[in-house]
Amino acid sequence: MIVVMKPGATEKQIAHVIERIQDLGLREHVIVGTERTVVAALGEKRDGAKQALENSEGVDKVVPILAPYKMASTEVKAEPTCVEVRDLKVGRGHLGVIAGPCSVESRAQILELATLVREAGGAGLRGGAFKPRTSPYSFQGLKEKGLELLAEARDKTGLAVVTEVMAPEHVPLVARYADVLQIGARNMQNYPLLEAAGESEMPVLLKRGPSATMDEFLLAAEYVLKTGNTRVMLCERGIRTFEDHTRFTLPLASVPYLHQTTHLPIVVDPSHGTGKASLVAPMAVASVAAGADGLIVEVHPDPEKALSDGFQALTPTAFRDMMTKCRTVANVVGRKFGV
Amino acid sequence: MIVVMKPGATEKQIAHVIERIQDLGLREHVIVGTERTVVAALGEKRDGAKQALENSEGVDKVVPILAPYKMASTEVKAEPTCVEVRDLKVGRGHLGVIAGPCSVESRAQILELATLVREAGGAGLRGGAFKPRTSPYSFQGLKEKGLELLAEARDKTGLAVVTEVMAPEHVPLVARYADVLQIGARNMQNYPLLEAAGESEMPVLLKRGPSATMDEFLLAAEYVLKTGNTRVMLCERGIRTFEDHTRFTLPLASVPYLHQTTHLPIVVDPSHGTGKASLVAPMAVASVAAGADGLIVEVHPDPEKALSDGFQALTPTAFRDMMTKCRTVANVVGRKFGV
Amino acid sequence: MIVVMKPGATEKQIAHVIERIQDLGLREHVIVGTERTVVAALGEKRDGAKQALENSEGVDKVVPILAPYKMASTEVKAEPTCVEVRDLKVGRGHLGVIAGPCSVESRAQILELATLVREAGGAGLRGGAFKPRTSPYSFQGLKEKGLELLAEARDKTGLAVVTEVMAPEHVPLVARYADVLQIGARNMQNYPLLEAAGESEMPVLLKRGPSATMDEFLLAAEYVLKTGNTRVMLCERGIRTFEDHTRFTLPLASVPYLHQTTHLPIVVDPSHGTGKASLVAPMAVASVAAGADGLIVEVHPDPEKALSDGFQALTPTAFRDMMTKCRTVANVVGRKFGV
Amino acid sequence: MIVVMKPGATEKQIAHVIERIQDLGLREHVIVGTERTVVAALGEKRDGAKQALENSEGVDKVVPILAPYKMASTEVKAEPTCVEVRDLKVGRGHLGVIAGPCSVESRAQILELATLVREAGGAGLRGGAFKPRTSPYSFQGLKEKGLELLAEARDKTGLAVVTEVMAPEHVPLVARYADVLQIGARNMQNYPLLEAAGESEMPVLLKRGPSATMDEFLLAAEYVLKTGNTRVMLCERGIRTFEDHTRFTLPLASVPYLHQTTHLPIVVDPSHGTGKASLVAPMAVASVAAGADGLIVEVHPDPEKALSDGFQALTPTAFRDMMTKCRTVANVVGRKFGV
C-alpha cells in the first residue's frame, strides 16, 4: 500500500502516518519526491488497512498494491478451474452451454425445451422456479412445482439443472432438485445467501451485479470460495450504463480480463446482456470468440407467449442456428464445445 | 400502453397484435400515421403485458403509459407521508437527522456519539451491527452485541435506533432492538428481505441501489407497501457512474423528482453519496436545500481509527457545524429541522 | 408523437395541447384511457416539435415515434452501404482492416508498419499526424510532416490512409494527403467539423463519442450525410462507464443493433475500446464475430517506446496472430476478410 | 509515479524498468515488498511518462502521484480566482447569476428577459446565437443577428453577455459582441477551439463534457490557461449516467471537490443539469448551498413556445422565486449574491 501525502504535508503528519502504519503491523518505507512524500507500507494485508490511513491528516490518497481477493486469484492458483457436473463442463478448454426458458411455465414447455437444448449440443438446462421480479405485480415463478419439473426434464435428458435461489432459507430446497445454484445479479452482494450457497457444496453460478466492478465481483466469489466450495462459475450478464437501445450493456472485455485475473471459469449471458432477441445470437458468437467458457441463453417455444422476458428469448430455430455458429468459432479459439 | 409497429408492418401483423391485446383483456385503438401504425392498448395493467407484446412480429417497441408502481405513487395518495418514531419525524414538512458511526464498535463509542447527535439536534441514531462488507476479510460488525449497545444508547438519549438488517431470518432479532429497519443498497432488490421487513410492521429505511432507476427504486418500496406497511422512507445514497473522485455520485435531483412522483419521504445519505469526509457537509446542506425530508450521516469520535469507512465520517466538530448550517437552510425551504 | 397527459389533466389543458399540435402543422388524435388521456400527433416531423409540447400544462411526457435521423436510416435505404477507397472495402459483406500506430513518429516507423499491415492482409493505414491529447503537455503529433510520411507509406504499399482531422480549417490540408478523414470521439458533435468533412467529399470515419447514444451517433452522421457525402463509416470505440479495469467499455451489441438501424458500415476499434494491449486481440475477434464490417487497430514495432498510447498497441507478432483468427471467424459469419 | 511489478516479475524485468525510468530522466527507488516489487520514479513529469512504462514486461500497473494539470491547481495558486467582467463577479466569495433564454429568438424576447434578469439580481445574460444542435434538422440559432441583439440588451441593462462559440474561426466575430465566451459541453475537448478562445484574452466559461472526469475537465481548462488567459470559469452542467428521469445527472459534489482542487471559480447549470423546468429551482438552491460561485439558468417569457429547450426553461415568476431563495442560502454559506 502506498500512502501519498499532500504537497506541503508536515514532518509531524508524516511521523503520524508512520506510527499508524506500525500500529497496523506493517513496515513503512519513506520516499521523499520533488513535490510530494510518499510512504510505502510493506506487509500489506487485505482487511481495510487502506481505509484506516485514508483519513489521517496530510494524507492525499492511499493506493493499494495487492488485489483485495485471494482465493479467486491467478496469483494463488494459476491453473484454470473447470466446473463439471453431469455432462456440463465449463472451463479449462471446455465450453458448456446452458439454455432454457426464463421461467418454468409448464411440464410440456420445459420437456420440449430440454430436448431441444440436448439435441443442439447444450449440457445445462436453465429455468426459473423462484423468480426475482422488479415489480411485485409480475409472475413470480412456479416455486417448488417448477423445481420438480426441472428435475423431471433432467432425468429425461441428462442435462444439468441450473436454477436461481433467492434466499438462504431456500438453499436446501433448491439444492435437492438442482445441479447448480444460480445467484442472480440482484443478489451478487447478498452475503448470507453467498455463504449458504457455498456451504451447500453445490456448484454455484454467480451473476455479476449490474454495477459491480471486477474487484467487487471477485470478492463476492470469494465469499463462496471461503466456505471451501471451489466450484464457482462467474457469469457476465451486462452492466448498467447510459445506453438505452439495449436492456444492459454487455462488456465482453471482461472475459479476457477475468481470464488474466482469476482461475474461475467465465460464462456469458447474452440474453440479459442485450435484452433483445435479435441481438442475442451475434453476441453469443462474439462471447465465444472473446474466450468465454460457457453461455447461458434463454430460449422459448413461443417467445411472444412467454410469462416473463419473452422479448429476449430465442425461438428454437434461432437457437439451433446460434449453436452451429458458436461451435465453429469455439474451434477457432481452441475450446471444446458442448457435449 | 402504445404499441409502435415497424414501418412496413403488414395488415396481418397488425391484426395479430390486436388479437394479442384482446387476449390480455385490454381494448385496442388503432392510429394509422403517415409512416407508422401505432396501436394503443386501453385498460393497461401493471403486470408485464408490455413484455408480452414486445416480441410480436412487426412490433418496433412498446411504450408504457402508466407508472409501474401504484401504492407509492402520488396518483394514489397525493398527501405526503410523514414517518414518525419516537422524536424522529421525516416528511410532510419535518426534516429529521439520523447520525452515528458506520459500525457500532464499543459501548463508549456509541454512547458518546448518541449524546453528541442528540445535543446537536438529531433524532435518530445510526450504527451498523450486522455489516455487509464487500470483502469477506473486513470487519463484519458486533452482531447482537452491537444491537444491545444501540438499544442502551437509545434508552439513554431517546434517539430512534436505525440499523441494517441483512437477511429475512434476522428480522425478528433486529426488530427487537431497533426502531427503524434499514435495507442496505446491496439489498434493494432482495425481495424476501423486503417482504420480511414489511411484515415486521416496523418503519423501513430503504436505500437506493447504486444502479437502480427511479422506477426500480419505487417498485422495491412497493414490495414493502404491499404487505400493508406504509412507514417507508426512501434513501438516496448515490449511484455508480464513471466519476472516480467520489465513491458514488450523489444525484440530488432525485429529491425534487421523487417529491413529484411519490408521497413517501426522502432521506439523503451524503456520507456514502460522496465517500469523502471533506465533501459530506456541503452535500448535506445542499440536500436540505434540494428539499430532503431527512439526512443520514456518519460521524465518529476519531475517524482515522474507525473500524470501517473512517474516510467518510465527520468529526464531532464538523458534524455540529454541519447541523448549524442545515438548520438555517431548512428554514429557507420551509422544513422544521430536527428536534 | 404521443403526448401523454397527467392524470387529472383538465379539458382545457387537453384543448390547449390540441391547439398547439395544430399550430405545428400536425393532426391530433385523442385517446381517452381509463386513467389517462393521450393525444397522438400525426404527420410528425423531426425538428423539435416534441420539445415544443413537453412544457405545456398538464402534459406528463411526450413520446416520439419516429427515429430522429433520416438519411442514415434503413427506413430510407435498406441496402447496406459499402465504403470503398483503394483496396479498402468496408460494408456489404466486406470486412476491411485498418491498422497502424497511434501517432506517426518517424519515416522508418510508419514504413515498417505499413509493410507489416499490408502483408498481414490489412487494407488501410491508420496513424495520427494531428493528435488531440487530453493534456496540453503531451506529444501533439508531427502535423503536416506526419501527413507526408503517411502519403509516402501509402505510395509504397497501396494502403488507404486514414487519419484524424481536428478542425474545419485543417480539412483541405488533411484531405490533400489522406484517403479517409477520421473524426475523433472528442469531436463527434463538433458540427462545423462534420460539415467541413462532409463537404470535402472524402470518405469519413466517424468515431462514437464516449457518452453518445445511438440516436446522437446517427444524428452526427446525418450532419455529414446532409452535405451529400454518403461515404460514412461509423466507428464503435467504447463508451465511458463505471468500469475501471479497461480504459473504456466496448459494447459490441452496438454492432448488430446498428446493422438493424442503419445502412452505414460499422467499424470497431478494440484498441481504444479496451486500452490494454492484452485485451485487444480477443476483442478484435469478438468484433468480427458480432458482425463488424471493419476493424481499426493500433500496432507498433516497439510499444513500450511509443510516443503515445503504447499501452494499447499490439506488437507485430500479436497483430499477425490476431489477423489469422479474425480471418477464420470472418468466414463463419459470412464476411470477405481483408485484401 | 509508482511502477507496480507483477508478482513473480524477474530481476531482468525490474532492471529493464529501472533503465526505462532513467531514460526518461527520472530517478528510480526500488521497494521490495512481501509479494511484489514496486519501483518509484522520482522527478515525475506530466507528459505521458506513465504510459511509456505501462507496457514494459513484468509491469502490472503504473500509478501517477501528481495531478496531470498544473496551472489550474491549488498547488500552484492557492488563492481562489474571481472572474470579473462588468458587474458580473464569479469566485472568491462572489456568486454571480447568468440567466436568459436557450436561444436568442427576437429583439423583444431578449430585451424583455434582460430586464427581468437585471431586476432579479442577475449580472450576466446568456443566450445562444450559434447553437450546436444534436439534430441537423433543429433550429440552429440567429447567428450574427443574435449577437447584435445580445449586445443591444447588454447596452440597455449593463448585463455581461455570455454566449457560445462553436469554432475557432468564429472567435473573433463572437468576441466582438460578447463579454464571456462560452465553450459548450460538446466542445470541451475541442482543443483548437480552446486555444483560440484562450488567445482572444476574453473570459471563458468552460462547460464540463457529459463524460469528462475531473482530471479531463481541468486539463481542458489548462489548454486555455496555457495561452496566458487566466479568466476561466468552470461550469458543471451534468453528466451522462443510466438515470432516465432527468436529461443529465447533476453531481453537485463536484463543486466542493473542485474548490479543493482548483482555484478557478465553479458555475453550475441546473437547467441542462436536470432538463426539467420543475427541477431547476430546487437544484439551483442546492448548488448555492454546495458552494457554487455562479449559476447559469435558462428562463423564457413563454417556455412552451421556445424555439429550443423550452422544457427546461423557467418562467419569469419561477425565476424570481428561485433568485429569492438563492440569495438567502448564499448568505448562509458566505457568498455575496448577485448585484
Side-chain angles (χ1 to χ4, degrees):
Chain A
M1 181 168 49
I2 306 285
V3 182
V4 180
M5 304 301 296
K6 288 182 182 160
T10 64
E11 288 296 310
K12 199 176 145 198
Q13 288 168 340
I14 295 167
H16 178 74
V17 163
I18 291 171
E19 198 181 304
R20 297 281 299 137
I21 286 172
Q22 293 169 348
D23 287 354
L24 291 161
L26 307 174
R27 260 175 323 114
E28 83 286 359
H29 184 120
V30 180
I31 309 167
V32 181
T34 43
E35 301 188 38
R36 306 258 191 140
T37 294
V38 309
V39 188
L42 305 181
E44 179 174 357
K45 293 171 299 180
R46 287 170 167 87
D47 65 351
K50 170 180 184 294
Q51 303 187 349
L53 289 161
E54 226 158 27
N55 215 11
S56 295
E57 261 182 80
V59 170
D60 186 28
K61 58 181 171 184
V62 179
V63 181
I65 298 301
L66 301 183
Y69 45 88
K70 261 192 295 224
M71 304 174 67
S73 170
T74 47
E75 298 186 28
V76 166
K77 174 174 182 289
E79 188 182 48
T81 294
C82 177
V83 174
E84 288 193 46
V85 51
R86 300 184 186 269
D87 293 342
L88 179 65
K89 292 182 194 169
V90 177
R92 212 188 309 132
H94 294 275
L95 197 167
V97 178
I98 302 157
C102 176
S103 302
V104 182
E105 297 172 1
S106 71
R107 191 168 176 276
Q109 176 230 31
I110 195 69
L111 292 183
E112 175 184 343
L113 286 171
T115 306
L116 166 76
V117 170
R118 180 91 243 184
E119 288 175 0
L125 178 66
R126 61 152 294 149
F130 290 88
K131 293 296 304 171
R133 301 303 302 278
T134 301
S135 166
Y137 308 114
S138 299
F139 173 61
Q140 312 267 327
L142 295 180
K143 311 249 158 67
E144 186 164 2
K145 180 68 191 161
L147 295 174
E148 287 169 16
L149 296 174
L150 284 166
E152 186 181 345
R154 184 229 346 258
D155 293 345
K156 232 182 126 185
T157 58
L159 294 172
V161 164
V162 181
T163 196
E164 179 159 358
V165 57
M166 284 171 62
E169 66 266 33
H170 295 165
V171 167
L173 174 68
V174 177
R176 208 178 315 137
Y177 295 97
D179 296 298
V180 176
L181 299 181
Q182 176 180 317
I183 308 288
R186 293 172 180 84
N187 282 317
M188 191 199 85
Q189 293 189 312
N190 183 336
Y191 303 123
L193 179 59
L194 293 172
E195 287 168 344
E199 281 155 13
S200 75
E201 300 185 12
M202 302 273 294
V204 171
L205 180 86
L206 176 63
K207 291 198 149 189
R208 180 183 185 185
S211 62
T213 62
M214 287 289 117
D215 277 6
E216 290 169 346
F217 192 17
L218 288 165
L219 282 166
E222 198 90 359
Y223 268 92
V224 181
L225 295 170
K226 216 171 150 245
T227 66
N229 183 340
T230 59
R231 293 194 291 168
V232 177
M233 294 172 267
L234 301 172
C235 179
E236 171 62 77
R237 45 75 75 202
I239 57 172
R240 186 144 273 174
T241 74
F242 67 85
E243 293 201 313
D244 55 6
H245 63 287
T246 44
R247 190 178 180 193
F248 291 96
T249 292
L250 190 60
L252 287 183
S254 56
V255 176
Y257 174 83
L258 284 168
H259 278 311
Q260 294 167 15
T261 313
T262 181
H263 53 87
L264 299 173
I266 321 302
V267 175
V268 179
D269 176 349
S271 304
H272 287 84
T274 61
K276 283 200 182 162
S278 64
L279 304 176
V280 172
M283 290 308 279
V285 185
S287 301
V288 174
D293 303 302
L295 293 174
I296 181 164
V297 177
E298 291 188 5
V299 54
H300 194 281
D302 187 0
E304 68 171 4
K305 293 199 174 143
L307 294 182
S308 56
D309 286 7
F311 52 86
Q312 71 191 23
L314 294 179
T315 61
T317 306
F319 175 68
R320 275 187 292 253
D321 288 356
M322 180 203 92
M323 290 294 275
T324 305
K325 280 189 184 144
C326 286
R327 186 181 295 273
T328 323
V329 173
N331 281 337
V332 177
V333 296
R335 290 284 189 286
K336 262 172 250 156
F337 181 83
V339 185
Chain B
M1 179 168 49
I2 306 285
V3 182
V4 180
M5 303 303 294
K6 289 182 181 161
T10 63
E11 288 296 311
K12 202 177 141 196
Q13 289 169 340
I14 295 168
H16 178 74
V17 163
I18 291 171
E19 200 181 301
R20 296 282 300 136
I21 287 173
Q22 292 169 348
D23 286 355
L24 291 161
L26 307 174
R27 263 176 319 115
E28 83 285 358
H29 184 119
V30 180
I31 311 167
V32 181
T34 44
E35 302 188 36
R36 306 258 192 141
T37 295
V38 308
V39 188
L42 305 181
E44 178 173 0
K45 293 172 300 182
R46 287 169 167 89
D47 65 352
K50 169 180 183 294
Q51 303 187 350
L53 288 161
E54 227 158 28
N55 214 11
S56 294
E57 262 183 79
V59 169
D60 186 28
K61 58 181 172 184
V62 178
V63 181
I65 298 302
L66 300 185
Y69 45 87
K70 262 192 295 221
M71 302 174 68
S73 170
T74 47
E75 297 185 30
V76 166
K77 174 172 182 290
E79 187 183 50
T81 294
C82 177
V83 174
E84 289 193 46
V85 49
R86 300 184 184 267
D87 292 342
L88 179 65
K89 292 184 193 168
V90 177
R92 212 189 308 132
H94 294 275
L95 196 165
V97 178
I98 302 158
C102 176
S103 301
V104 181
E105 297 172 1
S106 71
R107 190 167 177 277
Q109 176 230 32
I110 196 69
L111 293 183
E112 176 184 343
L113 285 171
T115 306
L116 167 75
V117 170
R118 180 91 244 186
E119 288 176 2
L125 177 66
R126 62 152 292 149
F130 290 87
K131 292 295 304 171
R133 301 303 301 277
T134 301
S135 167
Y137 308 115
S138 300
F139 173 61
Q140 311 267 328
L142 295 180
K143 312 249 157 65
E144 186 163 2
K145 180 68 192 163
L147 295 174
E148 287 169 16
L149 296 174
L150 284 166
E152 186 182 343
R154 184 228 347 258
D155 293 345
K156 230 182 127 182
T157 57
L159 294 172
V161 165
V162 180
T163 196
E164 179 159 356
V165 58
M166 283 171 63
E169 65 267 34
H170 296 165
V171 167
L173 174 68
V174 177
R176 207 177 319 136
Y177 295 97
D179 297 297
V180 175
L181 299 182
Q182 176 180 319
I183 306 288
R186 293 172 180 84
N187 283 315
M188 191 199 85
Q189 294 188 312
N190 182 336
Y191 304 122
L193 180 59
L194 293 173
E195 287 168 343
E199 281 155 14
S200 75
E201 299 184 14
M202 302 272 295
V204 172
L205 180 85
L206 175 63
K207 290 198 151 191
R208 180 183 183 184
S211 61
T213 62
M214 288 288 118
D215 277 6
E216 290 169 345
F217 192 17
L218 289 165
L219 282 166
E222 198 92 358
Y223 269 92
V224 181
L225 295 170
K226 217 172 148 244
T227 66
N229 184 340
T230 59
R231 293 194 292 169
V232 177
M233 295 174 265
L234 300 173
C235 179
E236 171 61 77
R237 47 75 75 200
I239 57 171
R240 186 143 273 173
T241 74
F242 67 86
E243 293 201 311
D244 55 6
H245 64 286
T246 44
R247 191 179 181 191
F248 290 96
T249 292
L250 191 60
L252 288 183
S254 55
V255 176
Y257 175 82
L258 284 168
H259 278 311
Q260 293 167 15
T261 314
T262 180
H263 53 87
L264 299 173
I266 321 301
V267 175
V268 179
D269 176 348
S271 304
H272 287 84
T274 62
K276 283 200 182 162
S278 64
L279 304 176
V280 171
M283 291 308 280
V285 184
S287 301
V288 174
D293 303 301
L295 292 173
I296 180 164
V297 177
E298 290 187 7
V299 54
H300 194 282
D302 187 0
E304 70 171 2
K305 294 202 172 136
L307 294 182
S308 57
D309 285 7
F311 53 86
Q312 71 191 25
L314 293 179
T315 61
T317 305
F319 175 67
R320 276 186 291 252
D321 289 357
M322 181 203 91
M323 290 294 275
T324 305
K325 278 187 186 146
C326 285
R327 185 181 295 275
T328 323
V329 173
N331 281 338
V332 178
V333 295
R335 289 284 188 286
K336 261 173 249 155
F337 182 84
V339 187
Chain C
M1 181 167 48
I2 306 285
V3 182
V4 180
M5 303 302 295
K6 289 183 181 161
T10 63
E11 289 295 311
K12 201 177 143 199
Q13 288 168 340
I14 295 167
H16 178 73
V17 163
I18 292 171
E19 199 181 303
R20 297 282 298 137
I21 287 172
Q22 293 169 347
D23 287 354
L24 291 160
L26 307 174
R27 262 177 319 116
E28 83 284 359
H29 184 120
V30 180
I31 310 168
V32 181
T34 43
E35 302 188 37
R36 305 260 190 138
T37 295
V38 308
V39 188
L42 305 181
E44 179 173 358
K45 293 171 299 180
R46 287 170 168 88
D47 65 351
K50 169 180 185 294
Q51 303 186 349
L53 288 162
E54 226 157 28
N55 215 11
S56 295
E57 262 183 79
V59 170
D60 187 27
K61 58 181 171 185
V62 178
V63 181
I65 298 302
L66 300 185
Y69 44 88
K70 261 192 295 222
M71 303 175 68
S73 169
T74 48
E75 297 186 30
V76 165
K77 173 173 182 290
E79 189 184 48
T81 293
C82 177
V83 174
E84 289 193 46
V85 50
R86 300 185 184 266
D87 293 342
L88 179 66
K89 292 184 193 167
V90 177
R92 212 188 309 131
H94 294 275
L95 196 166
V97 178
I98 302 158
C102 177
S103 301
V104 181
E105 296 172 1
S106 71
R107 190 167 176 276
Q109 176 230 31
I110 196 69
L111 293 183
E112 177 184 343
L113 285 171
T115 306
L116 167 75
V117 170
R118 180 92 244 185
E119 288 176 2
L125 177 67
R126 61 152 292 149
F130 290 87
K131 294 295 305 170
R133 301 303 302 278
T134 301
S135 166
Y137 308 115
S138 300
F139 173 60
Q140 311 268 328
L142 295 180
K143 312 252 158 66
E144 185 164 2
K145 180 68 191 164
L147 295 174
E148 286 168 16
L149 296 174
L150 284 166
E152 185 181 344
R154 184 227 349 255
D155 293 345
K156 229 181 128 182
T157 58
L159 294 171
V161 165
V162 180
T163 197
E164 179 159 358
V165 57
M166 285 171 61
E169 66 268 33
H170 296 164
V171 168
L173 174 67
V174 177
R176 208 178 315 139
Y177 295 97
D179 297 297
V180 175
L181 299 181
Q182 176 181 317
I183 306 288
R186 294 172 179 83
N187 282 315
M188 191 200 85
Q189 294 187 313
N190 182 337
Y191 304 123
L193 179 59
L194 293 173
E195 287 167 344
E199 282 156 12
S200 75
E201 301 185 12
M202 302 273 295
V204 172
L205 181 86
L206 176 63
K207 291 198 149 189
R208 180 183 184 185
S211 62
T213 62
M214 288 288 117
D215 277 6
E216 290 168 345
F217 192 16
L218 289 165
L219 282 166
E222 198 92 357
Y223 269 92
V224 181
L225 295 170
K226 217 173 150 242
T227 66
N229 183 341
T230 58
R231 294 193 291 168
V232 177
M233 296 173 266
L234 301 173
C235 180
E236 172 60 79
R237 47 74 76 199
I239 57 171
R240 186 142 271 173
T241 73
F242 66 86
E243 293 201 312
D244 55 7
H245 64 288
T246 44
R247 190 179 181 191
F248 291 96
T249 292
L250 191 59
L252 288 183
S254 55
V255 176
Y257 174 82
L258 284 168
H259 278 312
Q260 294 167 15
T261 314
T262 179
H263 53 87
L264 299 174
I266 321 301
V267 175
V268 179
D269 176 349
S271 305
H272 287 85
T274 62
K276 282 198 181 163
S278 65
L279 304 176
V280 172
M283 291 308 279
V285 185
S287 302
V288 174
D293 303 302
L295 292 174
I296 181 164
V297 177
E298 290 187 6
V299 55
H300 194 281
D302 187 0
E304 71 172 2
K305 294 200 173 141
L307 294 182
S308 56
D309 285 8
F311 52 86
Q312 72 191 24
L314 294 179
T315 60
T317 306
F319 175 67
R320 275 186 291 254
D321 289 356
M322 180 204 92
M323 290 295 275
T324 305
K325 279 188 184 146
C326 286
R327 186 182 296 275
T328 322
V329 173
N331 281 337
V332 178
V333 296
R335 289 285 188 288
K336 263 172 250 156
F337 180 84
V339 186
Chain D
M1 179 170 50
I2 306 284
V3 182
V4 181
M5 303 303 296
K6 289 182 182 162
T10 64
E11 288 297 310
K12 201 178 141 196
Q13 287 168 342
I14 295 167
H16 179 74
V17 162
I18 290 170
E19 199 181 302
R20 297 282 299 137
I21 287 173
Q22 293 169 347
D23 286 354
L24 291 162
L26 307 175
R27 260 174 323 113
E28 83 284 359
H29 184 122
V30 180
I31 310 167
V32 181
T34 45
E35 301 188 39
R36 305 256 191 141
T37 294
V38 307
V39 187
L42 305 181
E44 178 174 0
K45 294 171 299 182
R46 287 170 168 89
D47 65 352
K50 167 179 185 294
Q51 303 187 349
L53 288 161
E54 227 158 28
N55 214 12
S56 294
E57 262 182 78
V59 170
D60 187 27
K61 59 179 172 184
V62 178
V63 181
I65 299 302
L66 301 184
Y69 45 87
K70 263 192 293 222
M71 302 175 67
S73 170
T74 47
E75 298 185 28
V76 167
K77 175 173 182 288
E79 187 182 51
T81 294
C82 178
V83 174
E84 289 193 46
V85 50
R86 299 185 185 268
D87 293 341
L88 178 65
K89 292 183 193 169
V90 177
R92 212 188 308 129
H94 294 275
L95 198 166
V97 178
I98 302 157
C102 177
S103 302
V104 182
E105 296 172 1
S106 70
R107 189 166 178 276
Q109 176 230 32
I110 196 69
L111 293 182
E112 175 184 344
L113 285 172
T115 306
L116 166 75
V117 169
R118 180 91 243 186
E119 288 176 0
L125 177 66
R126 61 151 293 149
F130 290 87
K131 293 295 306 171
R133 302 303 302 276
T134 301
S135 167
Y137 308 115
S138 299
F139 173 61
Q140 311 268 329
L142 295 180
K143 311 250 157 68
E144 187 165 0
K145 180 68 192 163
L147 295 174
E148 287 169 14
L149 296 174
L150 284 166
E152 186 181 345
R154 184 234 339 262
D155 293 344
K156 229 181 129 182
T157 58
L159 294 172
V161 165
V162 181
T163 196
E164 179 160 358
V165 57
M166 284 171 63
E169 66 266 33
H170 295 166
V171 167
L173 174 68
V174 177
R176 207 177 318 137
Y177 295 97
D179 297 297
V180 175
L181 299 182
Q182 176 180 319
I183 306 287
R186 293 172 180 85
N187 282 316
M188 190 199 85
Q189 293 188 311
N190 182 337
Y191 304 123
L193 179 59
L194 293 173
E195 287 168 344
E199 282 155 13
S200 75
E201 301 184 12
M202 302 272 296
V204 171
L205 181 86
L206 176 63
K207 291 198 150 189
R208 180 182 185 186
S211 62
T213 62
M214 287 289 117
D215 277 6
E216 290 169 345
F217 192 16
L218 289 165
L219 282 167
E222 198 91 359
Y223 268 92
V224 181
L225 296 170
K226 215 171 151 245
T227 65
N229 184 341
T230 59
R231 294 192 290 169
V232 177
M233 296 173 266
L234 300 172
C235 178
E236 172 62 77
R237 46 75 76 201
I239 57 172
R240 185 143 273 174
T241 74
F242 67 86
E243 293 201 312
D244 55 5
H245 64 287
T246 43
R247 190 179 180 193
F248 291 96
T249 291
L250 191 61
L252 287 183
S254 56
V255 176
Y257 174 82
L258 284 168
H259 278 313
Q260 294 166 15
T261 313
T262 182
H263 53 87
L264 299 174
I266 321 301
V267 175
V268 179
D269 175 349
S271 304
H272 287 84
T274 61
K276 282 199 184 164
S278 64
L279 304 175
V280 171
M283 290 308 279
V285 185
S287 300
V288 174
D293 303 301
L295 293 174
I296 180 163
V297 177
E298 290 188 6
V299 55
H300 195 282
D302 187 0
E304 70 171 2
K305 294 201 173 141
L307 294 182
S308 57
D309 286 7
F311 52 87
Q312 70 191 24
L314 293 179
T315 61
T317 306
F319 175 67
R320 275 186 291 253
D321 288 357
M322 180 203 91
M323 290 295 275
T324 305
K325 279 188 186 145
C326 285
R327 186 181 295 274
T328 323
V329 173
N331 281 338
V332 177
V333 296
R335 289 286 187 286
K336 261 171 252 157
F337 181 84
V339 186

